[in-house]
Amino acid sequence: MAGSESNGCVQSMAIWFPIKQEKPTSVDHTVQEKPTSVDPTVDLHFNLWRMTHPGKRIKEKHQDFLDVGIMISNPYSLHSICFFLPMIIGRDNIKDLGPKFADPRLATAIFNEKLAVTNDSSGKPIILAKESDNSIYCRVINLPISGNDIEESAMEIEKKIDGTQITITENTLEEACKVIDKDHKLYIRFRIYLPEGKKNTFVSSHRPNDWWFASGFDVIECLDVRLNEARNLPDRILQKKAVTESQKTVKIKRLDFLLVAGVTADFIGGHRTFHKCRLLEKGIWENYIDERKLLTGMVIYHWKEPSSPLKLLMPKLQTVSTIEGLEDFNAFVKLRLRFSGKLTKLLYVLLALLIGATGGVVGNALWETFKEQMQKPALITTVAPTNAAPSGKHRTSDDRPTQASNSGKDDSATLDKSDSAEAQPMERGTAPTGSKADGRT
């Protein structure tokens, strides 16, 4: 379709969780070791904020972004958390959202659970407790900041031509595990500001062939978000995942994907029906996105993917082990937006003016040509009489041609008769032709 803005190749995100290597038991028993026998599990949250649309100028305050949340149960054996984004971004495109959870209204809105916020003695991580029974819900990690960016010791960034790998480091997880109890969960949430235009591989837009000639037209947006799709991952990422999962597979128990789009965008299809949708509560979420203003009227579409049985082949035992876990995820969404192009309307106005001006010039030229033709003298042909009177001879009153009593006779016939009579010789004492003799001499 003409006028399409497509990324050309849909790629997948990826996430994997390297496990710590087993260490020999320490002789020093003065420090209580955290339990590592229980395997960690995770819940994933992805929120895609669609703040821009094709045909509109993209400004920084209306930039698209992706929020990534990771809830970890029993995190003690985790070495790090690795996340691959199929786009090239820098450290300045990533922001820690941990401090946002100091607002209990926002924490309640994110988890849909009535929560209270307290801080431990060290000030971090932030503790979220259920108001119903005051039990600990989770602890939110605050990543250390240097200037305006997350410190390299807490988050490593590796950029390649096919995308960017973001790694939550072992040091970050170890520091967080020091201040949590056995049954507590850790939560990490960060934001990625996505590239503009075709570099945003999540979105492709398609306009009709005649969009430039129409004052109003529909644009179809296709949003395709994938996670751990092997067919769409680079070989180097597949190899890293394979090495990690050969040691131990961390189960993904649940995945929630939220798409936030303008209310004027019609949802016309997807790979599956969304779980629910609602209008965005602007009063709660306006502070969540900082200086980037919310569009007037936004809708949240919510998909959730519970875990399903995941079959793993055990080569040594030649058996298949079944565990509960989510292997991959795909969300395909089709939106329709109606646009009225200001440029197209301007072109219409200019075209109308041009047609009017051209018509006026052509009309004036035709009128001038017509007037010139009308003002030229007409060519009149005069036929001279056959028997003309001799020069110098004057007619008397009796020489004038008589009027024909019949009005149907023409003047030329009368003129010819008069001339003939005048040409004949007159005898003395004879009355002129056509006159009556009165008998006098």
Short mmCIF file of all heavy atoms in Angstrom, two decimals, residues 151-200:
data_model
loop_
_atom_site.label_atom_id
_atom_site.label_comp_id
_atom_site.label_asym_id
_atom_site.label_seq_id
_atom_site.Cartn_x
_atom_site.Cartn_y
_atom_site.Cartn_z
N GLU A 151 23.37 4.38 36.94
CA GLU A 151 24.80 4.05 37.02
C GLU A 151 25.11 2.74 36.31
O GLU A 151 24.28 1.82 36.28
CB GLU A 151 25.22 3.96 38.48
CG GLU A 151 25.24 5.29 39.21
CD GLU A 151 25.79 5.16 40.62
OE1 GLU A 151 26.16 4.01 40.99
OE2 GLU A 151 25.86 6.17 41.34
N GLU A 152 26.30 2.66 35.73
CA GLU A 152 26.71 1.47 35.02
C GLU A 152 26.84 0.27 35.95
O GLU A 152 26.67 -0.87 35.52
CB GLU A 152 28.05 1.71 34.32
CG GLU A 152 27.98 2.75 33.20
CD GLU A 152 29.29 2.89 32.47
OE1 GLU A 152 30.20 2.06 32.73
OE2 GLU A 152 29.43 3.82 31.66
N SER A 153 27.13 0.51 37.22
CA SER A 153 27.25 -0.59 38.18
C SER A 153 25.90 -1.27 38.42
O SER A 153 25.85 -2.42 38.83
CB SER A 153 27.81 -0.07 39.51
OG SER A 153 26.94 0.92 40.06
N ALA A 154 24.81 -0.55 38.17
CA ALA A 154 23.48 -1.11 38.40
C ALA A 154 22.85 -1.66 37.12
O ALA A 154 22.09 -2.63 37.16
CB ALA A 154 22.55 -0.05 39.00
N MET A 155 23.16 -1.04 35.98
CA MET A 155 22.58 -1.46 34.71
C MET A 155 23.62 -1.33 33.60
O MET A 155 24.18 -0.26 33.39
CB MET A 155 21.34 -0.62 34.37
CG MET A 155 20.70 -0.94 33.02
SD MET A 155 19.26 0.12 32.66
CE MET A 155 18.05 -0.58 33.78
N GLU A 156 23.85 -2.43 32.91
CA GLU A 156 24.80 -2.43 31.80
C GLU A 156 24.04 -2.33 30.47
O GLU A 156 22.97 -2.94 30.32
CB GLU A 156 25.65 -3.70 31.82
CG GLU A 156 26.53 -3.81 33.06
CD GLU A 156 27.30 -5.12 33.11
OE1 GLU A 156 27.02 -5.99 32.25
OE2 GLU A 156 28.15 -5.29 34.00
N ILE A 157 24.61 -1.57 29.55
CA ILE A 157 24.00 -1.37 28.23
C ILE A 157 24.97 -1.86 27.17
O ILE A 157 26.12 -1.43 27.12
CB ILE A 157 23.66 0.12 27.97
CG1 ILE A 157 22.83 0.69 29.12
CG2 ILE A 157 22.95 0.28 26.64
CD1 ILE A 157 21.47 0.09 29.27
N GLU A 158 24.50 -2.77 26.31
CA GLU A 158 25.31 -3.29 25.21
C GLU A 158 24.55 -3.07 23.90
O GLU A 158 23.51 -3.70 23.67
CB GLU A 158 25.62 -4.77 25.41
CG GLU A 158 26.48 -5.36 24.30
CD GLU A 158 26.69 -6.86 24.46
OE1 GLU A 158 26.14 -7.45 25.42
OE2 GLU A 158 27.38 -7.45 23.60
N LYS A 159 25.07 -2.18 23.07
CA LYS A 159 24.41 -1.85 21.81
C LYS A 159 25.08 -2.59 20.65
O LYS A 159 26.29 -2.59 20.51
CB LYS A 159 24.46 -0.33 21.55
CG LYS A 159 23.63 0.48 22.53
CD LYS A 159 23.53 1.94 22.10
CE LYS A 159 24.85 2.65 22.24
NZ LYS A 159 24.72 4.10 21.94
N LYS A 160 24.23 -3.23 19.85
CA LYS A 160 24.68 -3.89 18.63
C LYS A 160 23.82 -3.39 17.47
O LYS A 160 22.84 -2.66 17.67
CB LYS A 160 24.56 -5.41 18.76
CG LYS A 160 25.43 -6.01 19.86
CD LYS A 160 26.91 -5.94 19.51
CE LYS A 160 27.75 -6.66 20.55
NZ LYS A 160 29.19 -6.62 20.23
N ILE A 161 24.19 -3.80 16.26
CA ILE A 161 23.46 -3.32 15.09
C ILE A 161 22.03 -3.85 15.05
O ILE A 161 21.13 -3.26 14.45
CB ILE A 161 24.22 -3.72 13.81
CG1 ILE A 161 23.63 -3.01 12.59
CG2 ILE A 161 24.18 -5.24 13.61
CD1 ILE A 161 24.43 -3.19 11.33
N ASP A 162 21.78 -4.99 15.72
CA ASP A 162 20.45 -5.59 15.69
C ASP A 162 19.61 -5.26 16.93
O ASP A 162 18.48 -5.74 17.06
CB ASP A 162 20.55 -7.11 15.53
CG ASP A 162 21.49 -7.73 16.57
OD1 ASP A 162 21.91 -7.02 17.50
OD2 ASP A 162 21.81 -8.93 16.43
N GLY A 163 20.15 -4.47 17.85
CA GLY A 163 19.38 -4.11 19.03
C GLY A 163 20.26 -3.82 20.23
O GLY A 163 21.49 -3.69 20.12
N THR A 164 19.62 -3.72 21.39
CA THR A 164 20.31 -3.33 22.63
C THR A 164 19.99 -4.33 23.72
O THR A 164 18.83 -4.69 23.94
CB THR A 164 19.85 -1.93 23.07
OG1 THR A 164 20.05 -1.01 22.00
CG2 THR A 164 20.64 -1.47 24.30
N GLN A 165 21.03 -4.78 24.43
CA GLN A 165 20.85 -5.65 25.58
C GLN A 165 21.00 -4.85 26.86
O GLN A 165 21.99 -4.13 27.05
CB GLN A 165 21.85 -6.81 25.57
CG GLN A 165 21.72 -7.74 26.78
CD GLN A 165 22.67 -8.91 26.75
OE1 GLN A 165 23.00 -9.42 25.68
NE2 GLN A 165 23.14 -9.33 27.92
N ILE A 166 20.00 -4.93 27.73
CA ILE A 166 19.99 -4.24 29.03
C ILE A 166 20.13 -5.30 30.12
O ILE A 166 19.34 -6.27 30.16
CB ILE A 166 18.69 -3.45 29.21
CG1 ILE A 166 18.54 -2.42 28.08
CG2 ILE A 166 18.65 -2.77 30.57
CD1 ILE A 166 17.18 -1.76 28.04
N THR A 167 21.09 -5.12 31.01
CA THR A 167 21.35 -6.12 32.05
C THR A 167 21.28 -5.47 33.42
O THR A 167 22.01 -4.51 33.70
CB THR A 167 22.73 -6.77 31.86
OG1 THR A 167 22.80 -7.37 30.55
CG2 THR A 167 22.97 -7.83 32.92
N ILE A 168 20.37 -5.98 34.26
CA ILE A 168 20.35 -5.61 35.68
C ILE A 168 21.44 -6.44 36.35
O ILE A 168 21.38 -7.67 36.36
CB ILE A 168 18.99 -5.89 36.32
CG1 ILE A 168 17.87 -5.20 35.52
CG2 ILE A 168 18.96 -5.45 37.77
CD1 ILE A 168 17.97 -3.70 35.49
N THR A 169 22.43 -5.79 36.92
CA THR A 169 23.66 -6.47 37.32
C THR A 169 23.50 -7.30 38.59
O THR A 169 22.53 -7.15 39.36
CB THR A 169 24.78 -5.45 37.53
OG1 THR A 169 24.40 -4.57 38.60
CG2 THR A 169 25.02 -4.63 36.26
N GLU A 170 24.47 -8.16 38.81
CA GLU A 170 24.51 -8.99 40.01
C GLU A 170 24.62 -8.12 41.26
O GLU A 170 23.99 -8.41 42.29
CB GLU A 170 25.70 -9.95 39.93
CG GLU A 170 25.84 -10.87 41.14
CD GLU A 170 27.04 -11.78 41.04
OE1 GLU A 170 27.89 -11.55 40.15
OE2 GLU A 170 27.13 -12.72 41.85
N ASN A 171 25.37 -7.03 41.17
CA ASN A 171 25.54 -6.15 42.31
C ASN A 171 24.19 -5.55 42.74
O ASN A 171 23.90 -5.46 43.95
CB ASN A 171 26.52 -5.03 41.94
CG ASN A 171 26.71 -4.05 43.08
OD1 ASN A 171 27.25 -4.39 44.13
ND2 ASN A 171 26.28 -2.81 42.87
N THR A 172 23.36 -5.18 41.79
CA THR A 172 22.04 -4.61 42.12
C THR A 172 21.18 -5.63 42.85
O THR A 172 20.53 -5.30 43.86
CB THR A 172 21.33 -4.16 40.83
OG1 THR A 172 22.14 -3.16 40.18
CG2 THR A 172 19.97 -3.58 41.13
N LEU A 173 21.13 -6.84 42.35
CA LEU A 173 20.30 -7.86 42.97
C LEU A 173 20.82 -8.25 44.35
O LEU A 173 20.03 -8.48 45.29
CB LEU A 173 20.23 -9.10 42.06
CG LEU A 173 19.54 -8.87 40.70
CD1 LEU A 173 19.59 -10.15 39.87
CD2 LEU A 173 18.10 -8.42 40.90
N GLU A 174 22.13 -8.33 44.50
CA GLU A 174 22.69 -8.68 45.81
C GLU A 174 22.39 -7.63 46.86
O GLU A 174 22.03 -7.96 48.01
CB GLU A 174 24.20 -8.89 45.69
CG GLU A 174 24.59 -10.19 45.01
CD GLU A 174 26.09 -10.40 45.01
OE1 GLU A 174 26.83 -9.42 45.34
OE2 GLU A 174 26.54 -11.51 44.69
N GLU A 175 22.50 -6.36 46.49
CA GLU A 175 22.18 -5.29 47.44
C GLU A 175 20.71 -5.32 47.85
O GLU A 175 20.37 -5.06 49.00
CB GLU A 175 22.54 -3.93 46.82
CG GLU A 175 24.03 -3.68 46.64
CD GLU A 175 24.76 -3.66 47.97
OE1 GLU A 175 24.20 -3.11 48.95
OE2 GLU A 175 25.89 -4.17 48.03
N ALA A 176 19.85 -5.62 46.89
CA ALA A 176 18.42 -5.67 47.20
C ALA A 176 18.08 -6.88 48.08
O ALA A 176 17.24 -6.78 48.98
CB ALA A 176 17.61 -5.72 45.91
N CYS A 177 18.73 -8.00 47.84
CA CYS A 177 18.44 -9.21 48.61
C CYS A 177 18.89 -9.10 50.07
O CYS A 177 18.40 -9.83 50.93
CB CYS A 177 19.11 -10.42 47.96
SG CYS A 177 18.34 -10.94 46.41
N LYS A 178 19.79 -8.18 50.35
CA LYS A 178 20.28 -8.03 51.72
C LYS A 178 19.21 -7.49 52.67
O LYS A 178 19.31 -7.68 53.88
CB LYS A 178 21.49 -7.09 51.74
CG LYS A 178 22.75 -7.68 51.13
CD LYS A 178 23.89 -6.68 51.17
CE LYS A 178 25.16 -7.24 50.55
NZ LYS A 178 26.28 -6.26 50.55
N VAL A 179 18.22 -6.79 52.11
CA VAL A 179 17.25 -6.12 52.97
C VAL A 179 15.85 -6.71 52.85
O VAL A 179 14.88 -6.09 53.28
CB VAL A 179 17.19 -4.61 52.64
CG1 VAL A 179 18.51 -3.95 52.98
CG2 VAL A 179 16.84 -4.39 51.16
N ILE A 180 15.74 -7.88 52.26
CA ILE A 180 14.42 -8.51 52.16
C ILE A 180 14.41 -9.81 52.94
O ILE A 180 15.46 -10.43 53.17
CB ILE A 180 14.01 -8.77 50.70
CG1 ILE A 180 14.92 -9.82 50.05
CG2 ILE A 180 13.99 -7.48 49.90
CD1 ILE A 180 14.44 -10.25 48.67
N ASP A 181 13.23 -10.23 53.36
CA ASP A 181 13.07 -11.48 54.08
C ASP A 181 12.81 -12.63 53.10
O ASP A 181 12.70 -12.42 51.89
CB ASP A 181 11.93 -11.37 55.09
CG ASP A 181 12.23 -10.33 56.16
OD1 ASP A 181 13.43 -10.14 56.46
OD2 ASP A 181 11.29 -9.69 56.65
N LYS A 182 12.66 -13.79 53.66
CA LYS A 182 12.57 -15.01 52.86
C LYS A 182 11.43 -14.97 51.85
O LYS A 182 11.60 -15.35 50.70
CB LYS A 182 12.43 -16.22 53.79
CG LYS A 182 12.26 -17.54 53.06
CD LYS A 182 12.11 -18.67 54.06
CE LYS A 182 11.88 -20.00 53.32
NZ LYS A 182 11.73 -21.13 54.27
N ASP A 183 10.25 -14.55 52.30
CA ASP A 183 9.07 -14.63 51.44
C ASP A 183 8.78 -13.34 50.68
O ASP A 183 7.73 -13.23 50.05
CB ASP A 183 7.85 -15.00 52.29
CG ASP A 183 8.00 -16.37 52.95
OD1 ASP A 183 8.65 -17.23 52.33
OD2 ASP A 183 7.48 -16.55 54.06
N HIS A 184 9.67 -12.38 50.77
CA HIS A 184 9.41 -11.11 50.11
C HIS A 184 9.76 -11.17 48.63
O HIS A 184 10.63 -11.93 48.20
CB HIS A 184 10.21 -9.99 50.78
CG HIS A 184 9.73 -9.70 52.17
ND1 HIS A 184 10.35 -8.80 53.00
CD2 HIS A 184 8.67 -10.19 52.87
CE1 HIS A 184 9.71 -8.74 54.16
NE2 HIS A 184 8.70 -9.59 54.10
N LYS A 185 9.10 -10.31 47.87
CA LYS A 185 9.34 -10.21 46.44
C LYS A 185 10.07 -8.92 46.11
O LYS A 185 9.89 -7.91 46.80
CB LYS A 185 8.03 -10.26 45.65
CG LYS A 185 7.21 -11.53 45.87
CD LYS A 185 5.89 -11.44 45.12
CE LYS A 185 5.03 -12.68 45.34
NZ LYS A 185 3.73 -12.58 44.63
N LEU A 186 10.86 -8.96 45.07
CA LEU A 186 11.53 -7.76 44.56
C LEU A 186 10.83 -7.32 43.28
O LEU A 186 10.40 -8.15 42.46
CB LEU A 186 13.00 -8.04 44.26
CG LEU A 186 13.97 -8.12 45.43
CD1 LEU A 186 15.38 -8.40 44.92
CD2 LEU A 186 13.95 -6.84 46.25
N TYR A 187 10.74 -5.99 43.12
CA TYR A 187 10.13 -5.46 41.90
C TYR A 187 11.03 -4.40 41.30
O TYR A 187 11.51 -3.50 42.00
CB TYR A 187 8.76 -4.86 42.20
CG TYR A 187 7.98 -4.49 40.96
CD1 TYR A 187 7.49 -5.48 40.11
CD2 TYR A 187 7.73 -3.16 40.64
CE1 TYR A 187 6.77 -5.15 38.97
CE2 TYR A 187 7.01 -2.82 39.50
CZ TYR A 187 6.53 -3.82 38.67
OH TYR A 187 5.82 -3.50 37.54
N ILE A 188 11.27 -4.54 40.00
CA ILE A 188 12.08 -3.58 39.24
C ILE A 188 11.21 -3.05 38.11
O ILE A 188 10.53 -3.83 37.42
CB ILE A 188 13.34 -4.24 38.66
CG1 ILE A 188 14.19 -4.84 39.78
CG2 ILE A 188 14.16 -3.23 37.87
CD1 ILE A 188 15.35 -5.68 39.28
N ARG A 189 11.22 -1.75 37.93
CA ARG A 189 10.44 -1.16 36.83
C ARG A 189 11.26 -0.01 36.23
O ARG A 189 11.73 0.87 36.95
CB ARG A 189 9.09 -0.66 37.34
CG ARG A 189 8.09 -0.32 36.21
CD ARG A 189 6.75 0.09 36.82
NE ARG A 189 5.73 0.37 35.83
CZ ARG A 189 4.78 -0.47 35.44
NH1 ARG A 189 4.75 -1.70 35.95
NH2 ARG A 189 3.88 -0.11 34.54
N PHE A 190 11.40 -0.05 34.91
CA PHE A 190 12.12 1.01 34.23
C PHE A 190 11.40 1.32 32.92
O PHE A 190 10.59 0.54 32.41
CB PHE A 190 13.59 0.63 33.98
CG PHE A 190 13.79 -0.66 33.23
CD1 PHE A 190 13.88 -0.68 31.84
CD2 PHE A 190 13.91 -1.88 33.91
CE1 PHE A 190 14.07 -1.85 31.15
CE2 PHE A 190 14.10 -3.06 33.22
CZ PHE A 190 14.17 -3.05 31.85
N ARG A 191 11.72 2.48 32.38
CA ARG A 191 11.07 2.98 31.17
C ARG A 191 12.11 3.13 30.05
O ARG A 191 13.23 3.60 30.28
CB ARG A 191 10.40 4.33 31.43
CG ARG A 191 9.81 5.02 30.19
CD ARG A 191 9.01 6.23 30.59
NE ARG A 191 7.88 5.83 31.42
CZ ARG A 191 7.19 6.67 32.20
NH1 ARG A 191 7.54 7.95 32.26
NH2 ARG A 191 6.18 6.23 32.91
N ILE A 192 11.68 2.77 28.84
CA ILE A 192 12.52 2.91 27.66
C ILE A 192 11.82 3.84 26.69
O ILE A 192 10.70 3.54 26.22
CB ILE A 192 12.78 1.55 26.98
CG1 ILE A 192 13.42 0.57 27.97
CG2 ILE A 192 13.65 1.72 25.74
CD1 ILE A 192 13.54 -0.84 27.43
N TYR A 193 12.45 4.96 26.38
CA TYR A 193 11.91 5.88 25.38
C TYR A 193 12.29 5.36 24.00
O TYR A 193 13.48 5.22 23.68
CB TYR A 193 12.43 7.29 25.61
CG TYR A 193 11.92 7.89 26.90
CD1 TYR A 193 12.75 8.01 28.01
CD2 TYR A 193 10.60 8.32 27.01
CE1 TYR A 193 12.28 8.55 29.19
CE2 TYR A 193 10.12 8.86 28.19
CZ TYR A 193 10.96 8.97 29.28
OH TYR A 193 10.49 9.50 30.46
N LEU A 194 11.29 5.07 23.19
CA LEU A 194 11.50 4.38 21.93
C LEU A 194 11.92 5.34 20.82
O LEU A 194 11.56 6.52 20.85
CB LEU A 194 10.22 3.66 21.52
CG LEU A 194 9.71 2.63 22.54
CD1 LEU A 194 8.38 2.05 22.08
CD2 LEU A 194 10.73 1.52 22.75
N PRO A 195 12.66 4.84 19.83
CA PRO A 195 13.06 5.69 18.70
C PRO A 195 11.84 6.13 17.90
O PRO A 195 10.74 5.56 18.02
CB PRO A 195 13.97 4.78 17.88
CG PRO A 195 14.36 3.67 18.79
CD PRO A 195 13.23 3.50 19.76
N GLU A 196 12.05 7.14 17.06
CA GLU A 196 10.96 7.69 16.27
C GLU A 196 10.86 7.00 14.92
O GLU A 196 11.82 6.42 14.42
CB GLU A 196 11.17 9.19 16.07
CG GLU A 196 11.25 9.99 17.36
CD GLU A 196 11.58 11.45 17.09
OE1 GLU A 196 11.75 11.81 15.90
OE2 GLU A 196 11.67 12.23 18.05
N GLY A 197 9.68 7.09 14.33
CA GLY A 197 9.47 6.66 12.95
C GLY A 197 9.72 5.18 12.74
O GLY A 197 9.33 4.33 13.55
N LYS A 198 10.38 4.85 11.63
CA LYS A 198 10.59 3.46 11.25
C LYS A 198 11.52 2.71 12.19
O LYS A 198 11.57 1.48 12.15
CB LYS A 198 11.13 3.40 9.81
CG LYS A 198 10.16 3.94 8.76
CD LYS A 198 10.74 3.84 7.37
CE LYS A 198 9.79 4.40 6.33
NZ LYS A 198 10.34 4.31 4.96
N LYS A 199 12.28 3.44 12.99
CA LYS A 199 13.18 2.77 13.93
C LYS A 199 12.42 2.11 15.07
O LYS A 199 12.97 1.27 15.78
CB LYS A 199 14.18 3.79 14.49
CG LYS A 199 15.13 4.36 13.45
CD LYS A 199 16.09 5.35 14.05
CE LYS A 199 17.03 5.93 13.01
NZ LYS A 199 17.98 6.91 13.60
N ASN A 200 11.17 2.50 15.26
CA ASN A 200 10.31 1.85 16.25
C ASN A 200 9.73 0.59 15.61
O ASN A 200 8.76 0.64 14.86
CB ASN A 200 9.20 2.80 16.69
CG ASN A 200 8.33 2.22 17.79
OD1 ASN A 200 8.43 1.04 18.13
ND2 ASN A 200 7.49 3.05 18.37
#
